[in-house]
Amino acid sequence: MFIAQELRKKNIAEYLLYMWQVEDTIRAFGYSLSRIRREYIDRFDYSDEQKEEMADWYGNLIRMMNSEGCREQGHLQINKVTLQQLEELHGQLLTSTKFPFYNAEYYRVLPYIVELRNRGANKDEHEIETCFNSLYGVMLLRLQKKEITPNTQHAVKEMTTLIGMLSDYYHKDKQEGLKFE
């Protein structure tokens, strides 16, 4: 909860990836708040009050995942909305002539996106979602200490640059408003 709050303020892309990880953490603990408290929250060096806040937050997320039908897979609506906002901003950045560096990076990444979408199950997935799914997948591979091929590492590096730029523009737009024309 505290990490999510900080990431949301600083880096929306990292926030979204973190929230996907939180969803998977909840699934890994079998939606058991008592297990999450005992085996996860209690490991943090937080005050009892902070641990209680965290438990409430996880409890709310569990209820939301149950009511939104994403127990086995998928994402919470709050996370889908964040992704949709990023996808909309991506479209605005591409159609504007004021962001040539973003456009250049997008076209550098596009072949990787196309290749990944052609390999994936959902060929209608938005380009930005493809990038996030790839970044999350590689993050999971790293956590499992599995090998990542040099080609994948290169593609992920390029996607990270694009998503980083998008995240920066997202925060700039929220703070001061971007001018697209």
mmCIF file of all heavy atoms in Angstrom, residues 157-173:
data_model
loop_
_atom_site.group_PDB
_atom_site.id
_atom_site.type_symbol
_atom_site.label_atom_id
_atom_site.label_comp_id
_atom_site.label_asym_id
_atom_site.label_seq_id
_atom_site.Cartn_x
_atom_site.Cartn_y
_atom_site.Cartn_z
ATOM 1 N N LYS A 157 14.573 -3.594 -23.203
ATOM 2 C CA LYS A 157 15.253 -2.312 -22.973
ATOM 3 C C LYS A 157 14.579 -1.209 -23.779
ATOM 4 O O LYS A 157 14.325 -0.102 -23.273
ATOM 5 C CB LYS A 157 16.730 -2.439 -23.344
ATOM 6 C CG LYS A 157 17.522 -1.192 -23.070
ATOM 7 C CD LYS A 157 18.989 -1.378 -23.415
ATOM 8 C CE LYS A 157 19.728 -0.087 -23.131
ATOM 9 N NZ LYS A 157 20.790 0.178 -24.064
ATOM 10 N N GLU A 158 14.269 -1.484 -25.040
ATOM 11 C CA GLU A 158 13.598 -0.494 -25.888
ATOM 12 C C GLU A 158 12.190 -0.192 -25.369
ATOM 13 O O GLU A 158 11.774 0.965 -25.320
ATOM 14 C CB GLU A 158 13.538 -0.977 -27.341
ATOM 15 C CG GLU A 158 14.886 -1.057 -28.017
ATOM 16 C CD GLU A 158 15.559 0.298 -28.222
ATOM 17 O OE1 GLU A 158 14.865 1.336 -28.285
ATOM 18 O OE2 GLU A 158 16.800 0.320 -28.316
ATOM 19 N N MET A 159 11.469 -1.224 -24.980
ATOM 20 C CA MET A 159 10.115 -1.023 -24.444
ATOM 21 C C MET A 159 10.155 -0.228 -23.145
ATOM 22 O O MET A 159 9.292 0.616 -22.910
ATOM 23 C CB MET A 159 9.416 -2.365 -24.210
ATOM 24 C CG MET A 159 8.927 -3.006 -25.456
ATOM 25 S SD MET A 159 8.051 -4.512 -25.037
ATOM 26 C CE MET A 159 8.443 -5.478 -26.457
ATOM 27 N N THR A 160 11.147 -0.500 -22.327
ATOM 28 C CA THR A 160 11.303 0.232 -21.066
ATOM 29 C C THR A 160 11.506 1.720 -21.333
ATOM 30 O O THR A 160 10.941 2.564 -20.630
ATOM 31 C CB THR A 160 12.485 -0.340 -20.253
ATOM 32 O OG1 THR A 160 12.217 -1.716 -19.984
ATOM 33 C CG2 THR A 160 12.685 0.408 -18.951
ATOM 34 N N THR A 161 12.283 2.030 -22.361
ATOM 35 C CA THR A 161 12.501 3.434 -22.714
ATOM 36 C C THR A 161 11.184 4.084 -23.140
ATOM 37 O O THR A 161 10.853 5.176 -22.671
ATOM 38 C CB THR A 161 13.553 3.549 -23.843
ATOM 39 O OG1 THR A 161 14.766 2.961 -23.375
ATOM 40 C CG2 THR A 161 13.799 4.993 -24.227
ATOM 41 N N LEU A 162 10.434 3.414 -24.007
ATOM 42 C CA LEU A 162 9.146 3.961 -24.466
ATOM 43 C C LEU A 162 8.182 4.147 -23.297
ATOM 44 O O LEU A 162 7.586 5.220 -23.141
ATOM 45 C CB LEU A 162 8.521 3.050 -25.527
ATOM 46 C CG LEU A 162 7.154 3.519 -26.039
ATOM 47 C CD1 LEU A 162 7.306 4.754 -26.921
ATOM 48 C CD2 LEU A 162 6.451 2.403 -26.795
ATOM 49 N N ILE A 163 8.037 3.129 -22.484
ATOM 50 C CA ILE A 163 7.097 3.198 -21.358
ATOM 51 C C ILE A 163 7.572 4.235 -20.338
ATOM 52 O O ILE A 163 6.761 4.943 -19.729
ATOM 53 C CB ILE A 163 6.904 1.805 -20.722
ATOM 54 C CG1 ILE A 163 6.244 0.847 -21.726
ATOM 55 C CG2 ILE A 163 6.092 1.886 -19.444
ATOM 56 C CD1 ILE A 163 4.871 1.283 -22.229
ATOM 57 N N GLY A 164 8.877 4.366 -20.165
ATOM 58 C CA GLY A 164 9.410 5.409 -19.277
ATOM 59 C C GLY A 164 9.063 6.804 -19.775
ATOM 60 O O GLY A 164 8.676 7.675 -18.993
ATOM 61 N N MET A 165 9.204 7.003 -21.076
ATOM 62 C CA MET A 165 8.836 8.293 -21.660
ATOM 63 C C MET A 165 7.343 8.552 -21.481
ATOM 64 O O MET A 165 6.928 9.661 -21.103
ATOM 65 C CB MET A 165 9.195 8.333 -23.155
ATOM 66 C CG MET A 165 10.682 8.333 -23.431
ATOM 67 S SD MET A 165 11.057 8.188 -25.196
ATOM 68 C CE MET A 165 10.748 9.884 -25.725
ATOM 69 N N LEU A 166 6.532 7.537 -21.732
ATOM 70 C CA LEU A 166 5.087 7.664 -21.584
ATOM 71 C C LEU A 166 4.725 8.003 -20.143
ATOM 72 O O LEU A 166 3.892 8.873 -19.886
ATOM 73 C CB LEU A 166 4.401 6.363 -22.031
ATOM 74 C CG LEU A 166 2.882 6.333 -21.957
ATOM 75 C CD1 LEU A 166 2.250 7.407 -22.841
ATOM 76 C CD2 LEU A 166 2.372 4.938 -22.358
ATOM 77 N N SER A 167 5.382 7.354 -19.203
ATOM 78 C CA SER A 167 5.149 7.618 -17.785
ATOM 79 C C SER A 167 5.511 9.058 -17.426
ATOM 80 O O SER A 167 4.775 9.741 -16.704
ATOM 81 C CB SER A 167 5.954 6.636 -16.937
ATOM 82 O OG SER A 167 5.730 6.859 -15.568
ATOM 83 N N ASP A 168 6.642 9.517 -17.943
ATOM 84 C CA ASP A 168 7.050 10.904 -17.688
ATOM 85 C C ASP A 168 6.026 11.888 -18.253
ATOM 86 O O ASP A 168 5.666 12.873 -17.588
ATOM 87 C CB ASP A 168 8.415 11.188 -18.300
ATOM 88 C CG ASP A 168 9.557 10.477 -17.575
ATOM 89 O OD1 ASP A 168 9.348 9.988 -16.442
ATOM 90 O OD2 ASP A 168 10.656 10.384 -18.163
ATOM 91 N N TYR A 169 5.564 11.629 -19.466
ATOM 92 C CA TYR A 169 4.547 12.502 -20.070
ATOM 93 C C TYR A 169 3.229 12.436 -19.295
ATOM 94 O O TYR A 169 2.535 13.446 -19.149
ATOM 95 C CB TYR A 169 4.309 12.147 -21.539
ATOM 96 C CG TYR A 169 5.376 12.671 -22.462
ATOM 97 C CD1 TYR A 169 6.048 11.823 -23.334
ATOM 98 C CD2 TYR A 169 5.720 14.023 -22.475
ATOM 99 C CE1 TYR A 169 7.037 12.304 -24.196
ATOM 100 C CE2 TYR A 169 6.704 14.512 -23.331
ATOM 101 C CZ TYR A 169 7.351 13.636 -24.182
ATOM 102 O OH TYR A 169 8.323 14.126 -25.023
ATOM 103 N N TYR A 170 2.894 11.283 -18.770
ATOM 104 C CA TYR A 170 1.676 11.126 -17.974
ATOM 105 C C TYR A 170 1.727 12.054 -16.760
ATOM 106 O O TYR A 170 0.788 12.791 -16.480
ATOM 107 C CB TYR A 170 1.528 9.663 -17.533
ATOM 108 C CG TYR A 170 0.358 9.406 -16.610
ATOM 109 C CD1 TYR A 170 -0.891 9.077 -17.119
ATOM 110 C CD2 TYR A 170 0.502 9.486 -15.225
ATOM 111 C CE1 TYR A 170 -1.965 8.838 -16.274
ATOM 112 C CE2 TYR A 170 -0.564 9.252 -14.376
ATOM 113 C CZ TYR A 170 -1.791 8.918 -14.899
ATOM 114 O OH TYR A 170 -2.859 8.691 -14.064
ATOM 115 N N HIS A 171 2.849 12.013 -16.044
ATOM 116 C CA HIS A 171 2.972 12.851 -14.848
ATOM 117 C C HIS A 171 3.044 14.334 -15.205
ATOM 118 O O HIS A 171 2.465 15.165 -14.507
ATOM 119 C CB HIS A 171 4.153 12.407 -13.990
ATOM 120 C CG HIS A 171 3.842 11.169 -13.223
ATOM 121 N ND1 HIS A 171 2.963 11.147 -12.166
ATOM 122 C CD2 HIS A 171 4.256 9.892 -13.383
ATOM 123 C CE1 HIS A 171 2.851 9.915 -11.707
ATOM 124 N NE2 HIS A 171 3.618 9.137 -12.426
ATOM 125 N N LYS A 172 3.723 14.642 -16.284
ATOM 126 C CA LYS A 172 3.779 16.039 -16.708
ATOM 127 C C LYS A 172 2.377 16.527 -17.079
ATOM 128 O O LYS A 172 1.990 17.643 -16.728
ATOM 129 C CB LYS A 172 4.729 16.194 -17.897
ATOM 130 C CG LYS A 172 4.927 17.631 -18.299
ATOM 131 C CD LYS A 172 6.013 17.790 -19.333
ATOM 132 C CE LYS A 172 6.182 19.274 -19.596
ATOM 133 N NZ LYS A 172 7.326 19.576 -20.398
ATOM 134 N N ASP A 173 1.607 15.682 -17.752
ATOM 135 C CA ASP A 173 0.243 16.042 -18.132
ATOM 136 C C ASP A 173 -0.628 16.244 -16.890
ATOM 137 O O ASP A 173 -1.417 17.178 -16.826
ATOM 138 C CB ASP A 173 -0.356 14.967 -19.039
ATOM 139 C CG ASP A 173 -1.686 15.384 -19.635
ATOM 140 O OD1 ASP A 173 -1.819 16.565 -20.031
ATOM 141 O OD2 ASP A 173 -2.598 14.540 -19.715
#
